[in-house]
Amino acid sequence: MTAEQQLVDAALRTWKSNADRVEKFFQPLSEEQLQQEIAPGRNRLIYLWGHLASVSDGLFPLLGIGPRLHPELDAMFVTNPDRAATALPSATELQDIAAEIDRELWRVFSQWSATDWLAKHTAVSDDEFVREPHRNRFSVLLSRTAHMAFHYGQAILVKPRS
Amino acid sequence: MTAEQQLVDAALRTWKSNADRVEKFFQPLSEEQLQQEIAPGRNRLIYLWGHLASVSDGLFPLLGIGPRLHPELDAMFVTNPDRAATALPSATELQDIAAEIDRELWRVFSQWSATDWLAKHTAVSDDEFVREPHRNRFSVLLSRTAHMAFHYGQAILVKPRS
């Protein structure tokens, strides 16, 4: 592997290990367990999970891969706070949705070269990118990895009831 | 900048923005505010802050930079749970300690080349590193960035009392 490939490989491993621990934590939870709050009066687990899935789903357009797979998640889990949406996906539905998003992203991520990763993301104009070349896909990958860890740290404060 | 340098630059920016938001959150807190728990019966803010500082301090030996600046933090904030240590640094002491560790790490980090980052860390033997070249300093940087984000997500659940 070249140095470039090794640097990308390290970032992909960190993404993957964070995505995997999120999935491992949330996937087994029941409908009832997902209703638990991370702290009194704070977000419920189902909101955190849907939020992570929706933000990951937003990577398809942001990284120029294609349209979102589940645009309906945004209003439920990102643009509105927890408890604002009247209907949320069931635990089983969210299991499938989250796994699908993770799987499809990983299929693309694992094939991209360093050059692909250093291309601009779609929220930056060509002009801006000349001045600010650090606004690339790789930066998005790293900041979204930190975003996953941020909410995972909150989620595991809940001790799931059996 | 070469592709290698751009990839390293992105990782350093993500480290720095996470380190900065941790510092910005904790530095202004009073002794009393640091006693608050992130959730009922869970770690206090002072423990999270000392924990982050101590884990960062451990990067000096782990990345082969030199000895720890504050080895005394380990027993207080890493190897033992919160409330096990009888004496902890004061808020003012921890402000200085955390800022010093961040500053000294950054001085080294900001000078390293891609080759420096891809060198092995000191917890891997030469033999292991041949088989597992992904166990490099860069991987440590990325996983510790996620570690900061993980605990930062917990810390901000506390609404500091004025």
Side-chain angles (χ1 to χ4, degrees), chain B residues 122-139:
Chain B
T122 60
V124 191
S125 72
D126 290 340
D127 281 357
E128 285 168 337
F129 195 58
V130 171
R131 287 194 303 278
E132 303 180 287
H134 61 272
R135 298 175 68 182
N136 51 49
R137 287 165 165 168
F138 195 65
S139 296

Side-chain angles (χ1 to χ4, degrees), chain B residues 65-87:
Chain B
I65 299 169
R68 296 185 62 143
L69 306 181
H70 293 281
E72 75 280 5
L73 300 178
D74 207 42
M76 301 172 188
F77 298 115
V78 178
T79 52
N80 292 301
D82 191 11
R83 298 179 183 83
T86 47

Side-chain angles (χ1 to χ4, degrees), chain A residues 42 146 149-150 153-154 156-157, chain B residues 42 146 149-150 153-154 156-157 159:
Chain A
R42 296 310 189 97
F150 176 96
Q154 298 176 334
I156 62 150
L157 292 175
Chain B
R42 296 310 187 99
F150 176 96
Q154 299 176 332
I156 63 151
L157 291 175
K159 292 187 178 133

Side-chain angles (χ1 to χ4, degrees), chain A residues 20-76:
Chain A
D20 285 352
R21 67 181 180 172
V22 164
E23 194 158 330
K24 195 173 167 188
F25 177 85
F26 285 103
Q27 289 282 0
L29 300 183
S30 67
E31 205 71 63
E32 192 199 344
Q33 289 171 326
L34 286 171
Q35 299 303 317
Q36 292 170 92
E37 299 172 329
I38 53 173
R42 296 310 189 97
N43 291 330
R44 291 171 299 168
L45 288 178
I46 192 166
Y47 186 82
L48 280 198
W49 193 20
H51 177 74
L52 287 173
S54 186
V55 168
S56 285
D57 194 46
L59 291 176
F60 290 100
L62 182 58
L63 300 181
I65 299 170
R68 296 184 62 144
L69 306 182
H70 292 281
E72 74 281 5
L73 299 178
D74 207 41
M76 301 172 187

Side-chain angles (χ1 to χ4, degrees), chain B residues 1-137:
Chain B
M1 271 205 265
T2 64
E4 289 171 23
Q5 286 167 336
Q6 285 186 277
L7 295 166
V8 168
D9 177 66
L12 288 178
R13 283 172 185 269
T14 313
W15 164 273
K16 190 74 167 66
S17 73
N18 277 277
D20 285 353
R21 67 180 182 172
V22 164
E23 194 158 328
K24 194 172 166 188
F25 177 86
F26 285 103
Q27 289 282 0
L29 300 183
S30 67
E31 204 72 64
E32 192 199 345
Q33 289 171 326
L34 286 171
Q35 298 304 317
Q36 293 170 92
E37 297 171 331
I38 53 173
R42 296 310 187 99
N43 291 329
R44 291 170 300 167
L45 289 178
I46 191 166
Y47 186 82
L48 280 197
W49 193 19
H51 177 75
L52 287 172
S54 187
V55 168
S56 285
D57 194 45
L59 291 175
F60 289 100
L62 182 58
L63 300 181
I65 299 169
R68 296 185 62 143
L69 306 181
H70 293 281
E72 75 280 5
L73 300 178
D74 207 42
M76 301 172 188
F77 298 115
V78 178
T79 52
N80 292 301
D82 191 11
R83 298 179 183 83
T86 47
L88 296 182
S90 69
T92 327
E93 284 166 340
L94 209 42
Q95 282 163 13
D96 291 344
I97 289 171
E100 177 195 11
I101 292 168
D102 270 2
R103 187 178 61 242
E104 292 305 308
L105 276 181
W106 184 248
R107 213 162 50 82
V108 177
F109 284 4
S110 56
Q111 293 173 356
W112 275 352
S113 68
T115 310
D116 292 328
W117 281 111
L118 290 171
K120 79 179 188 67
H121 59 70
T122 60
V124 191
S125 72
D126 290 340
D127 281 357
E128 285 168 337
F129 195 58
V130 171
R131 287 194 303 278
E132 303 180 287
H134 61 272
R135 298 175 68 182
N136 51 49
R137 287 165 165 168

Side-chain angles (χ1 to χ4, degrees), chain A:
Chain A
M1 271 204 264
T2 64
E4 289 171 21
Q5 287 168 336
Q6 284 186 278
L7 295 166
V8 168
D9 177 67
L12 287 178
R13 283 172 185 270
T14 313
W15 164 274
K16 191 73 167 67
S17 73
N18 276 277
D20 285 352
R21 67 181 180 172
V22 164
E23 194 158 330
K24 195 173 167 188
F25 177 85
F26 285 103
Q27 289 282 0
L29 300 183
S30 67
E31 205 71 63
E32 192 199 344
Q33 289 171 326
L34 286 171
Q35 299 303 317
Q36 292 170 92
E37 299 172 329
I38 53 173
R42 296 310 189 97
N43 291 330
R44 291 171 299 168
L45 288 178
I46 192 166
Y47 186 82
L48 280 198
W49 193 20
H51 177 74
L52 287 173
S54 186
V55 168
S56 285
D57 194 46
L59 291 176
F60 290 100
L62 182 58
L63 300 181
I65 299 170
R68 296 184 62 144
L69 306 182
H70 292 281
E72 74 281 5
L73 299 178
D74 207 41
M76 301 172 187
F77 298 116
V78 178
T79 52
N80 292 301
D82 192 11
R83 299 180 185 80
T86 47
L88 296 182
S90 69
T92 326
E93 284 166 341
L94 210 42
Q95 282 163 14
D96 291 343
I97 289 170
E100 177 194 10
I101 292 168
D102 270 4
R103 187 179 61 242
E104 293 303 310
L105 277 181
W106 184 248
R107 215 162 48 82
V108 177
F109 285 4
S110 55
Q111 293 173 357
W112 275 352
S113 68
T115 310
D116 293 327
W117 281 111
L118 290 171
K120 78 179 189 65
H121 58 71
T122 60
V124 192
S125 72
D126 290 341
D127 281 359
E128 285 168 337
F129 194 57
V130 171
R131 288 193 303 278
E132 303 179 287
H134 61 272
R135 299 175 67 182
N136 51 50
R137 287 166 166 166
F138 195 64
S139 296
V140 174
L141 175 73
L142 299 177
S143 64
R144 292 301 163 81
T145 302
H147 178 253
M148 273 196 284
F150 176 96
H151 288 301
Y152 179 69
Q154 298 176 334
I156 62 150
L157 292 175
V158 178
K159 291 189 178 131
R161 294 185 293 248
S162 56

